[in-house]
Amino acid sequence: MFRSLLISIACMMSVAVNAIEYQRPDADSKLVGTMEYYQVNKGESLADIANKYDVGFLAVMEANKGVDPFLPTPGTLLTIPTQLILPDVQREGIVINLAELRLYYFPADDSDHMHVFPIGIGRVGRETPQMTTQISQKIENPTWTPTANIRKEYREKHDIELPAVVPAGPENPLGEYAMRLSHGKGQYLIHGTNKDFGIGMRVSSGCIRMNPWDIEWLFSLVPEGTKVRVINQPLKQTVEPDGSLYVEVHQPLSSSEEQVGTYKSVEPTELLVSSVENDDTATNRLHSALYLQTGIPMELKRDI
């Protein structure tokens, strides 16, 4: 059996060294990419495999429920979530969908391609806010000035006394590149990391964290003033030009510590419900997608 199986080979997606590049769909389409499958080798974790494809750790877990994330059985065939539905938002600049832990980049000088990256976002209690803003500053080799609350947290939880300013270098959690957002007092950044975990998870203090190779690539292309929208859409849907109706459902973000690890329902829109009305098969598929929350596009029906 092949180590990696590509089910549909098409010029719709390519996995680059530093990004997943997709062909931009026409204005009447939102479905991009093709699903991939991967056979687990001995000693690999889901985090290892997520890094191979530059997708998020939780995204791989969502798509492969029941698989041990740390010790998956060798030979297990995993679904790699490299097909997706674009969020319901203007395709411009940077779009961050918190619910799917993905960053979309739509270059202004390239109308044919777009790029998608896994990200880490704010944990419960330090949530990354929804916002419409822009890149106000690009910083190479940033220093980190932890807030008083963060210094207190490190002191109480980790018995670490942080300095007032952490200099650039290997001990700096911002990594080598950072882009400041103009929202609020400029306290939110899109930045790298000096850790080998946390991408595709809720682990930050509110900033958007990227793999070092991803932020280095993105930093070189994104100009100051680029529009940034942070949204929260756990349910995405599209009616494609051929009449096929797809949904993609992600696990909603927990809003409290009590919700962490619990099942949280996603409510369909009235338009989506009416779209499958009187079609038992489509209705059952919709209920399945809403319940399973795999983060994978599911076709509900096709009108020909």
Side-chain angles (χ1 to χ4, degrees):
M1 195 170 190
F2 291 107
R3 186 167 181 263
S4 177
L5 301 178
L6 180 60
I7 291 303
S8 177
I9 301 175
C11 296
M12 296 197 55
M13 182 203 73
S14 64
V15 181
V17 174
N18 300 311
I20 299 183
E21 180 181 90
Y22 292 89
Q23 187 76 27
R24 283 205 211 191
D26 294 334
D28 59 353
S29 171
K30 294 198 293 184
L31 185 68
V32 300
T34 54
M35 204 65 70
E36 295 194 45
Y37 298 86
Y38 181 84
Q39 188 175 9
V40 177
N41 293 310
K42 184 177 181 180
E44 289 182 313
S45 68
L46 294 195
D48 297 328
I49 296 164
N51 278 339
K52 282 181 185 291
Y53 286 87
D54 210 13
V55 297
F57 174 59
L58 290 183
V60 176
M61 286 186 61
E62 271 190 342
N64 298 277
K65 296 183 186 300
V67 175
D68 188 318
F70 305 107
L71 294 172
T73 303
T76 299
L77 193 64
L78 300 179
T79 299
I80 308 299
T82 46
Q83 184 182 52
L84 50 90
I85 296 172
L86 298 184
D88 188 17
V89 67
Q90 189 174 359
R91 303 169 191 179
E92 175 187 20
I94 290 174
V95 175
I96 293 166
N97 189 3
L98 299 173
E100 55 181 318
L101 293 123
R102 284 184 180 132
L103 182 152
Y104 297 81
Y105 177 49
F106 301 93
D109 59 354
D110 185 353
S111 60
D112 294 328
H113 301 96
M114 50 170 283
H115 308 271
V116 181
F117 306 87
I119 56 171
I121 63 172
R123 59 189 183 275
V124 174
R126 295 189 183 274
E127 288 83 359
T128 304
Q130 298 182 61
M131 64 181 98
T132 297
T133 183
Q134 63 180 5
I135 302 293
S136 62
Q137 184 184 16
K138 295 174 62 178
I139 313 162
E140 194 167 349
N141 296 317
T143 59
W144 178 44
T145 304
T147 65
N149 285 337
I150 290 177
R151 295 180 70 192
K152 179 181 178 183
E153 180 180 311
Y154 269 72
R155 189 182 306 117
E156 294 177 349
K157 291 186 176 181
H158 310 292
D159 196 26
I160 295 174
E161 189 64 43
L162 289 175
V165 177
V166 178
E171 300 303 317
N172 191 312
L174 301 184
E176 298 180 352
Y177 301 92
M179 297 187 289
R180 189 179 304 281
L181 305 181
S182 61
H183 179 84
K185 298 180 179 179
Q187 68 269 44
Y188 296 104
L189 304 168
I190 300 172
H191 64 79
T193 181
N194 64 343
K195 299 178 174 63
D196 59 358
F197 67 92
I199 305 302
M201 301 173 66
R202 297 190 66 182
V203 292
S204 80
S205 296
C207 289
I208 295 94
R209 183 184 297 182
M210 300 183 70
N211 281 314
W213 54 89
D214 285 336
I215 186 65
E216 180 178 7
W217 188 89
L218 189 64
F219 186 92
S220 68
L221 295 178
V222 174
E224 290 185 6
T226 295
K227 188 173 184 179
V228 177
R229 278 154 300 178
V230 182
I231 60 176
N232 184 17
Q233 293 181 9
L235 170 63
K236 299 183 294 179
Q237 63 191 71
T238 180
V239 177
E240 291 299 288
D242 64 0
S244 54
L245 172 63
Y246 286 82
V247 295
E248 178 183 325
V249 186
H250 294 263
Q251 299 177 31
L253 300 178
S254 297
S255 57
S256 66
E257 291 291 349
E258 289 73 25
Q259 285 190 341
V260 174
T262 66
Y263 178 80
K264 294 168 284 294
S265 62
V266 175
E267 296 299 322
T269 63
E270 291 183 7
L271 178 60
L272 184 55
V273 172
S274 64
S275 297
V276 299
E277 205 169 26
N278 302 321
D279 187 327
D280 290 342
T281 299
T283 298
N284 289 336
R285 288 176 177 173
L286 174 59
H287 290 162
S288 178
L290 293 170
Y291 176 74
L292 294 175
Q293 301 174 1
T294 62
I296 296 173
M298 179 182 290
E299 183 179 340
L300 303 185
K301 68 174 186 175
R302 184 181 299 250
D303 293 332
I304 300 176

